[in-house]
Amino acid sequence: MKDSIIIVSGGMDSVTLLYEMRERIALGISFDYGSNHNKREIAFAKLHCERLGIKHIVIDLDFMGKYFKSSLLEGAEAIPEGHYEAENMKSTVVPFRNGIMLSIAAGIAESNGLKYVLIANHGGDHAIYPDCRADFIKAMSDATRLGTYPGIEVMAPYTDITKTDIARRGKALGINYAETWSCYKGGEKHCGKCGTCVERKEALRDAGIDDPTIYEGWHQYY
């Protein structure tokens, strides 16, 4: 039964969730909020939704690029390099991004007679992204349930698992992760050095997947 909307960025996590839950998903939503890598991600979100026969729409959130403060919105040179555990990675937070996206998705779900909004936040996000943590997701689900007539709920099945766990699920599903985008710099190739590139490489390595990603400057990874 098609009862769900998914927020699908085009990255590893949301694409994996898209395939896992495809039987329930009526609509995929991507948000263009002006980040360096948005366009590259959204192209893959569209590709996978079309492949699965799932309607896909893009919502423009250009006001975030105009009024919000984040290195993600300031061009590739502003993106810090290193591991997510490093303090400087906090600069990549886009304030309340998931709260805004979930609110819009809940309204679209109610307007389309759907009951659930799916989001692919995971355990590795918790260190620096407050709107990816379990308490936040629960609070948002409570808010959407109480603030809509059908009681829209947020489903975030990856909240307490790692990106490596997600990659293992993707491997079992036969997902080609070359058809996903992670790099925050949004160049022609993955930079291989920003926090999300480092996390991507570690997850694929630890899941036993030969990394198909083309990185700047080299072709053998981890």
Side-chain angles (χ1 to χ4, degrees):
M1 180 180 176
K2 303 282 188 179
D3 60 0
S4 303
I5 278 178
I6 185 171
I7 297 174
V8 55
S9 68
M12 285 178 59
D13 312 320
S14 64
V15 167
T16 304
L17 186 59
L18 177 74
Y19 277 82
E20 272 207 302
M21 303 291 283
R22 60 189 179 274
E23 299 300 328
R24 295 181 60 171
I25 296 170
L27 177 65
I29 306 178
S30 299
F31 292 94
D32 187 348
Y33 56 93
S35 74
N36 306 307
H37 63 306
N38 248 172
K39 295 293 191 293
R40 295 202 168 278
E41 280 190 315
I42 290 171
F44 284 122
K46 182 175 184 290
L47 180 152
H48 289 289
C49 284
E50 288 181 348
R51 185 174 292 166
L52 295 174
I54 295 171
K55 183 180 179 182
H56 177 254
I57 62 173
V58 179
I59 305 290
D60 190 351
L61 300 179
D62 67 330
F63 69 90
M64 295 173 74
K66 293 177 181 178
Y67 303 116
F68 285 25
K69 178 69 175 176
S70 169
S71 63
L72 225 58
L73 306 172
E74 296 172 9
E77 295 304 315
I79 301 297
E81 295 180 353
H83 200 278
Y84 266 136
E85 293 177 359
E87 184 69 19
N88 64 353
M89 290 300 161
K90 289 183 179 178
S91 75
T92 64
V93 172
V94 179
F96 208 63
R97 177 180 58 182
N98 283 349
I100 293 166
M101 294 178 180
L102 287 168
S103 298
I104 294 169
I108 294 174
E110 181 167 13
S111 298
N112 284 272
L114 303 169
K115 184 67 173 19
Y116 301 100
V117 176
L118 301 171
I119 187 169
N121 59 296
H122 64 84
D125 295 329
H126 298 178
I128 59 170
Y129 298 119
D131 59 358
C132 288
R133 297 170 187 161
D135 287 350
F136 175 81
I137 296 297
K138 181 183 182 302
M140 280 301 299
S141 188
D142 288 343
T144 58
R145 179 174 50 81
L146 294 170
T148 57
Y149 275 117
I152 306 297
E153 296 180 29
V154 176
M155 292 177 61
Y158 297 166
T159 299
D160 296 317
I161 67 174
T162 68
K163 197 178 192 80
T164 299
D165 295 325
I166 294 169
R168 290 191 183 107
R169 294 186 182 198
K171 182 179 181 180
L173 289 163
I175 295 172
N176 176 10
Y177 283 125
E179 297 178 330
T180 63
W181 187 267
S182 297
C183 182
Y184 278 164
K185 294 190 178 184
E188 290 298 315
K189 302 175 183 178
H190 283 70
C191 75
K193 298 177 181 178
C194 69
T196 188
C197 276
V198 172
E199 184 188 46
R200 177 188 181 96
K201 289 190 288 184
E202 289 177 345
L204 292 171
R205 178 198 66 197
D206 294 345
I209 298 171
D210 290 333
D211 192 344
T213 314
I214 299 174
Y215 296 102
E216 291 286 353
W218 69 90
H219 300 278
Q220 260 325 236
Y221 335 106
Y222 272 66

